[in-house]
Amino acid sequence: MYGRRRYRRARRRREELKFYLHRILFGISVFCIIIVFAAVAFKTRKATQSVEAATALMQASTVAVKTETKDAAMQKQPEFSKDRNGKNGRQDAENEESTAEASRDGQTSLIVIDPGHGGIDGGCVSGDVVEKEINRMIAARVVVKLRNMGYQAELAREGDTYVDKLERVEKANSRNALLYVSIHQNFCEDDSVAGIETWYDGSDTSRDSGRLAQLIQQETVLQTGAVSRELVSESELCVTSKSNMSSCLIETGFLSNREERGRLITEEYRDQLAEGIARGVDRYLNPRTMYLTFDDGPSEENTDRILDILQERNVKATFFVIGEYVRKYPETARRIVREGHAIGIHCDVHDYKTLYASVDSYMNDFQKAYDTVYEVTGVETRLFRFPGGSVNAFNRKVRNEIIEEMEKRGFIYYDWNASLEDAVGKEYSAERLVKNAVDTVLDRERVVLLAHDRVTQTADALPALLNAFPEYRLEPLTVQLEPVQF
């Protein structure tokens, strides 16, 4: 009996000890969890305070980022603009025209810059760096730079406040904003991934968001030297799909990448990012002009393919046609005119020796082509282009006399200052043709680009070619323009 009681007491002590041990372990676990949360909170707050201090310093030393009234912003006219190399130049009539276009259909000139996340929504956190604060610092600088360019720009959120992303977009919609750009940071479990990528809604081509995204990506990479990752067409993002205006979301870097995170926390790099975003916006709103021209057509297969692509992209071009091919493919020639493209005379028969044998020989050939174009399309065109250009090895003896006679009759000739080089006797690939165009454009303000619509590779290259020049507005040639001539 005594032994049984002693056994029960021993078992009770073991159970009590086990109970106390469980309570001690539970207490230690809770204490550890509290310590971990406190450490994370301390680091987050420390990062927030340091970024806020830097933001305050930046804002105190430059234009304050406050909401201007619409009237005050509209009265503010830019006296100078900067080209890609940072050189100052006085704004001309084209910029004034662009400003007027920006306010069409009741749309204001307001540009909304959205610092992603905010308040309780910090976004991604890596080390001492909190996404929401990096976003806000870059966005603040973008607004300052845009205002210094003469634009009306505002932040979608002020300070470290939480504003629902849909609410931000709806506010911009209600104010008929012109552009919406959201700034974010990226994160990846693979910490070697780095670079800039820009997202837009490619399902709605009417807003031209793809061109905005491409220009912002292009200019930001140019300013920073960062890796250009990709343009992403994504219709599910709130800030890009719910906006009524052209919009995009740029991920300016990966906080998960140690090297890139180190750059993002520096004032110099954030300023480069802001400069790139602002220049991308400026390029979008003040495009240069390119006149895409096609010689030697029409051809039934290639010209129709080219017209299909141009129609899909809503791009207008200029076709310098050959009379014998207009007679052979009259419906294609009529389609050129019907779809709003300009048409000009190239020649009637593309035979240099016969064409340039004399002034009379040239004039007879031209008149036959002119009569054909008029009979087939009803257009009395005044545009023409010399086969081989106005200066070539075949017309040296007669070119000046031909030009004098043609101008006396009211015709205007157009050469070119950039080319795909698709008629040089080499069968270049579509990729090479695009590269030729990019290499010869040379960042000019006004480009007349030469192509040939009888070359299959040119039709193959056209989609990529149109994507290669987002900073240019494509227009057809007119007699009102000052012609590019050799």
Side-chain angles (χ1 to χ4, degrees):
M1 179 70 71
Y2 172 78
R4 194 176 302 163
R5 284 198 301 269
R6 187 172 57 181
Y7 170 75
R8 289 173 181 170
R9 284 197 300 268
R11 191 173 70 173
R12 191 181 311 120
R13 289 195 197 99
R14 286 196 300 272
E15 291 175 351
E16 289 174 352
L17 182 60
K18 187 184 297 185
F19 173 74
Y20 290 133
L21 285 174
H22 284 169
R23 292 191 64 177
I24 290 171
L25 289 173
F26 176 76
I28 291 173
S29 299
V30 171
F31 179 75
C32 290
I33 291 171
I34 292 172
I35 291 297
V36 170
F37 274 102
V40 172
F42 175 76
K43 286 186 176 182
T44 302
R45 183 55 186 164
K46 182 180 177 182
T48 300
Q49 287 174 341
S50 63
V51 176
E52 285 177 345
T55 303
L57 180 62
M58 182 273 293
Q59 291 177 333
S61 63
T62 184
V63 181
V65 184
K66 298 295 181 182
T67 303
E68 295 181 355
T69 63
K70 177 181 175 182
D71 291 340
M74 292 300 289
Q75 288 172 2
K76 189 177 182 181
Q77 295 297 329
E79 184 179 2
F80 294 94
S81 63
K82 288 189 176 181
D83 64 15
R84 183 176 297 225
N85 297 317
K87 298 178 181 178
N88 289 328
R90 193 169 298 277
Q91 293 246 333
D92 56 17
E94 290 185 3
N95 286 341
E96 295 177 3
E97 180 182 349
S98 297
T99 301
E101 289 178 358
S103 300
R104 66 186 181 274
D105 300 329
Q107 191 172 48
T108 71
S109 59
L110 174 64
I111 300 168
V112 177
I113 304 299
D114 172 23
H117 305 285
I120 60 173
D121 179 12
C124 57
V125 179
S126 185
D128 291 339
V129 183
V130 185
E131 179 187 355
K132 65 176 181 178
E133 300 299 344
I134 298 295
N135 296 343
R136 182 155 64 100
M137 294 179 72
I138 296 171
R141 289 173 179 271
V142 174
V143 168
V144 169
K145 290 177 183 294
L146 287 174
R147 288 183 177 182
N148 288 340
M149 291 177 177
Y151 294 107
Q152 181 189 1
E154 294 181 5
L155 292 172
R157 66 175 174 91
E158 295 281 355
D160 186 19
T161 55
Y162 173 76
V163 181
D164 183 78
K165 53 183 175 288
L166 182 58
E167 182 181 340
R168 305 182 200 199
V169 174
E170 288 177 343
K171 182 178 179 181
N173 288 341
S174 68
R175 299 185 65 186
N176 292 315
L178 183 62
L179 299 177
Y180 192 98
V181 180
S182 188
I183 298 172
H184 286 255
Q185 307 307 310
N186 226 328
F187 197 93
C188 182
E189 291 185 2
D190 181 355
D191 59 11
S192 68
V193 177
I196 296 171
E197 60 187 35
T198 307
W199 297 57
Y200 69 98
D201 181 6
S203 64
D204 183 1
T205 57
S206 64
R207 288 183 294 155
D208 205 16
S209 294
R211 188 169 72 89
L212 175 65
Q214 187 175 355
L215 282 168
I216 287 179
Q217 173 95 355
Q218 171 183 297
E219 294 297 320
T220 307
V221 168
L222 184 67
Q223 289 298 313
T224 60
V227 174
S228 181
R229 282 179 54 78
E230 58 182 332
L231 291 171
V232 185
S233 175
E234 174 58 68
S235 60
E236 299 300 321
L237 292 178
C238 176
V239 296
T240 57
S241 64
K242 303 299 183 184
S243 56
N244 295 336
M245 70 295 296
S246 298
S247 59
C248 67
L249 184 152
I250 180 170
E251 303 268 10
T252 64
F254 281 78
L255 294 185
S256 49
N257 181 282
R258 184 175 181 178
E259 182 180 349
E260 196 155 66
R261 184 171 69 250
R263 290 196 296 267
L264 286 164
I265 63 176
T266 66
E267 182 177 344
E268 179 184 5
Y269 190 72
R270 291 193 299 268
D271 192 70
Q272 291 172 355
L273 288 166
E275 181 71 18
I277 294 169
R279 288 195 180 198
V281 168
D282 187 50
R283 288 280 191 235
Y284 178 84
L285 294 176
N286 292 286
R288 299 167 181 179
T289 307
M290 176 179 288
Y291 303 94
L292 178 58
T293 66
F294 294 94
D295 286 5
D296 293 357
S299 67
E300 186 176 33
E301 180 182 354
N302 289 323
T303 305
D304 282 331
R305 283 181 62 203
I306 287 170
L307 289 171
D308 288 342
I309 295 167
L310 295 177
Q311 185 179 48
E312 180 182 350
R313 300 292 190 93
N314 194 27
V315 170
K316 306 303 178 187
T318 303
F319 292 80
F320 290 101
V321 297
I322 294 177
E324 67 171 322
Y325 295 132
V326 172
R327 291 189 290 272
K328 190 172 183 179
Y329 306 112
E331 183 51 40
T332 302
R334 282 189 283 267
R335 182 184 174 189
I336 290 172
V337 174
R338 185 171 63 249
E339 295 183 357
H341 305 286
I343 196 166
I345 305 300
H346 198 39
C347 59
D348 193 67
V349 178
H350 208 284
D351 181 349
Y352 283 15
K353 290 184 178 180
T354 302
L355 185 65
Y356 294 124
S358 67
V359 174
D360 287 342
S361 177
Y362 181 88
M363 298 307 299
N364 290 336
D365 179 275
F366 181 89
Q367 188 63 52
K368 188 173 182 181
Y370 179 89
D371 291 342
T372 294
V373 169
Y374 176 67
E375 291 168 3
V376 172
T377 69
V379 175
E380 298 180 88
T381 183
R382 291 167 55 196
L383 312 177
F384 78 101
R385 172 173 283 163
F386 287 98
S390 62
V391 179
N392 63 70
F394 295 91
N395 70 357
R396 284 178 296 183
K397 295 180 180 180
V398 295
R399 66 176 298 275
N400 291 335
E401 293 177 72
I402 293 173
I403 290 172
E404 182 180 354
E405 182 62 30
M406 291 296 289
E407 289 181 343
K408 185 187 300 183
R409 299 188 185 193
F411 295 100
I412 303 173
Y413 73 92
Y414 293 83
D415 287 313
W416 57 90
N417 56 13
S419 173
L420 273 69
E421 300 179 9
D422 54 351
V424 296
K426 300 179 181 179
E427 291 190 4
Y428 286 136
S429 65
E431 293 77 13
R432 176 61 186 271
L433 295 182
V434 174
K435 185 179 186 302
N436 290 343
V438 171
D439 290 345
T440 56
V441 163
L442 298 177
D443 214 25
R444 294 183 177 93
E445 289 293 330
R446 192 167 67 106
V447 174
V448 177
L449 182 61
L450 173 66
H452 295 78
D453 58 324
R454 296 191 66 80
V455 178
T456 300
Q457 290 87 343
T458 299
D460 295 338
L462 187 55
L465 180 72
L466 296 177
N467 289 336
F469 299 103
E471 65 269 41
Y472 285 90
R473 174 181 60 239
L474 275 73
E475 300 285 352
L477 291 171
T478 71
V479 295
Q480 286 78 30
L481 297 170
E482 181 181 353
V484 170
Q485 298 175 342
F486 296 156

